[in-house]
Amino acid sequence: MEIIEKDGGSVRIAVLEGDLTADDGMHMRDVILDAMRSPSCRRLYFDMSNVRFIGSSGLGVLLFGLRRLREQKKELAICNVAPPVRKLFQDIRLDAVLPMDEKVTVR
């Protein structure tokens, strides 16, 4: 997982790849906790352009992060979502809860 900071650190982008398993969920949780501790980070994106599958643990971590960051008046969103993952989010109606930005430039 690659972490990119923009706008003086106020925006962080975590670039995810492949199939997101329970181990990846733990890494995602660490990224969320780092964003919570950072006074400069106001928005965290998970870039899902190269994600083929996300399991229940990954979904749970996204919901954990959404709730915890909102408590601190910070934002979590996913971006550049690959079509199979977008369909999953739509099927389980997670797209109504979790902000999805169509295109966020990573570089």
Side-chain angles (χ1 to χ4, degrees), residues 37-49:
R37 287 189 287 264
S38 171
S40 62
C41 181
R42 304 304 311 152
R43 186 170 183 95
L44 172 63
Y45 284 105
F46 282 105
D47 182 310
M48 298 196 156
S49 56

Side-chain angles (χ1 to χ4, degrees), residues 8-96:
S10 67
V11 175
R12 289 188 185 176
I13 304 170
V15 181
L16 307 174
E17 291 187 21
D19 295 341
L20 299 183
T21 63
D23 290 337
D24 298 307
M26 293 305 295
H27 294 298
M28 291 168 62
R29 189 179 190 317
D30 290 342
V31 170
I32 291 166
L33 293 174
D34 286 344
M36 288 172 57
R37 287 189 287 264
S38 171
S40 62
C41 181
R42 304 304 311 152
R43 186 170 183 95
L44 172 63
Y45 284 105
F46 282 105
D47 182 310
M48 298 196 156
S49 56
N50 294 315
V51 174
R52 297 182 307 260
F53 170 81
I54 183 168
S56 59
S57 61
L59 294 172
V61 169
L62 288 173
L63 291 173
F64 160 81
L66 183 66
R67 182 176 54 85
R68 295 294 302 270
L69 288 169
R70 279 185 178 169
E71 288 171 358
Q72 293 188 332
K73 306 290 190 242
K74 297 182 179 191
E75 299 177 36
L76 182 142
I78 57 175
C79 63
N80 307 326
V81 183
V85 176
R86 179 178 294 282
K87 181 170 179 359
L88 170 68
F89 284 151
Q90 291 168 340
D91 288 349
I92 62 174
R93 292 186 168 74
L94 195 56
D95 60 329

